[in-house]
Amino acid sequence: MNRICKSIFVVTTLSALFLTGCGSAPQSSDGALRVLASTSFLADITQNVAGDRVQVDALLPIGTDPHAYQAAPADVARIAESHLLILNGLGYEHFIEPLLDAVRTGDERLLIEATAGLEPRSAEENVNGAGAGQGSEYEARDPHMWMDPNLVITYVKNIRAGLIQIDAEGTETYKTNADMYIAQLKELDAWIVEQVDTIPPERRLLVTNHEALGYFAARYGFEIVDTIIASLSSDAGTSAQDLAAVIDEIKASGAPAIFLGEVENADLANQIAEETGVKVVNDLYLESLSVGPPAATYIDMMK
């Protein structure tokens, strides 16, 4: 979708196969608006725009790998109770597609894709190593746009538009909150630039588990040497030949470490580390917040 208005569309009532006794419109016992975001970091971004007017919940529990998540019947109920559903988009929430396919006409629910209006990178742009071009995965669009806070400014604008559509009385509040949060995102970007400036350019080399840091690397001047899993998803597989190629790339480049998200399996990274002598950093928060510090908010997650 290339325009914000195209990011807002109607999701009909989910199948009665999953929900019984549900009315023809989203219901809440207290009359409050229900806003549901797919992930914890999206819920936090949305909450900053919503402020005190609306409580925002995350569909996925904290500490869950979205790429490997399997939807449960309870998720259908939570979606059915929502007035506004916020997704990252670009195929990131593959687990939710069967839930949205289980629909019937009648009930209207607003759905926002936070990435609407942004031009995604392809996987081929993300990796400089030998893995690029090894299959259809590399023709996919990279959904990990939140790794560049400047792109999250568009997320905020799309989310603001959705909140205003379901709650016009809160328009000024949402506009004010969005402006304040956008200022914080710009401060975050400047802070990251300051930190990166302390790293010699020749040391700005990244080896990652899967292709999650393409936007981060492009914004802050890193080179992604290679990825263990040649995919935009941590749920994909790899081969002995692919692992050997990663080992060769690490040795040739002098990359000092392999970087993983906290929810990712470190077994393959540890195996490669034994062969190359590099460090494995596996406590980054890339796709989920934490309960409390160190990554209780999106901004904290990025820091």
Side-chain angles (χ1 to χ4, degrees):
M1 302 179 186
N2 295 322
R3 297 173 57 189
I4 291 177
C5 63
K6 289 185 179 179
S7 72
I8 301 175
F9 57 91
V10 172
V11 179
T12 56
T13 335
L14 295 172
S15 173
L17 175 64
F18 299 102
L19 290 176
T20 58
C22 181
S24 61
Q27 301 294 313
S28 57
S29 58
D30 56 5
L33 291 172
R34 304 291 193 214
V35 177
L36 185 65
S38 59
T39 65
S40 54
F41 67 84
L42 266 180
D44 178 67
I45 293 168
T46 304
Q47 192 68 70
N48 276 275
V49 182
D52 296 332
R53 285 191 66 87
V54 181
Q55 176 62 43
V56 181
D57 294 318
L59 184 63
L60 271 65
I62 284 178
T64 300
D65 183 354
H67 297 292
Y69 184 71
Q70 299 295 320
D75 297 331
V76 184
R78 298 184 68 193
I79 293 172
E81 293 169 356
S82 69
H83 300 86
L84 174 62
L85 177 62
I86 298 171
L87 306 180
N88 182 78
L90 298 175
Y92 185 61
E93 293 91 351
H94 64 89
F95 60 87
I96 210 170
E97 292 173 4
L99 308 186
L100 298 183
D101 286 340
V103 297
R104 60 188 173 98
T105 59
D107 173 23
E108 293 187 353
R109 179 173 294 100
L110 199 61
L111 187 149
I112 297 294
E113 288 191 347
T115 55
L118 293 171
E119 186 64 33
R121 296 171 60 86
S122 69
E124 289 177 333
E125 295 176 275
N126 286 347
V127 181
N128 297 320
Q134 292 181 352
S136 61
E137 286 281 355
Y138 283 92
E139 299 171 3
R141 300 172 299 169
D142 186 349
H144 301 84
M145 288 186 167
W146 65 89
M147 297 310 299
D148 179 351
N150 299 282
L151 301 180
V152 175
I153 291 175
T154 296
Y155 281 40
V156 170
K157 293 177 179 178
N158 289 336
I159 290 167
R160 178 186 61 193
L163 288 168
I164 289 173
Q165 182 144 336
I166 66 166
D167 180 25
E169 292 182 1
T171 296
E172 292 307 314
T173 296
Y174 300 139
K175 287 182 177 180
T176 298
N177 290 345
D179 289 345
M180 292 174 60
Y181 193 59
I182 287 171
Q184 293 179 49
L185 293 173
K186 292 178 179 179
E187 291 174 0
L188 171 63
D189 175 65
W191 182 88
I192 295 174
V193 169
E194 289 179 0
Q195 311 313 305
V196 172
D197 282 347
T198 67
I199 304 171
E202 66 273 13
R203 297 284 287 178
R204 298 176 192 173
L205 304 175
L206 298 176
V207 178
T208 61
N209 183 60
H210 72 293
E211 296 177 34
L213 291 177
Y215 297 100
F216 182 89
R219 169 66 185 116
Y220 300 112
F222 284 84
E223 175 186 348
I224 298 182
V225 174
D226 212 337
T227 62
I228 297 174
I229 300 172
S231 172
L232 294 167
S233 171
S234 62
D235 198 34
T238 190
S239 67
Q241 182 180 1
D242 292 335
L243 292 180
V246 174
I247 290 171
D248 289 343
E249 287 291 337
I250 290 175
K251 290 179 177 179
S253 67
I258 302 172
F259 296 94
L260 282 73
E262 185 264 345
V263 300
E264 296 180 296
N265 189 312
D267 289 348
L268 290 177
N270 290 331
Q271 179 181 331
I272 293 171
E274 291 180 2
E275 294 280 342
T276 59
V278 301
K279 182 179 181 180
V280 175
V281 179
N282 62 352
D283 58 354
L284 300 182
Y285 290 83
L286 304 179
E287 308 196 57
S288 173
L289 302 185
S290 59
V291 179
T297 70
Y298 165 74
I299 289 177
D300 289 341
M301 181 182 86
M302 291 300 297
K303 288 187 174 181

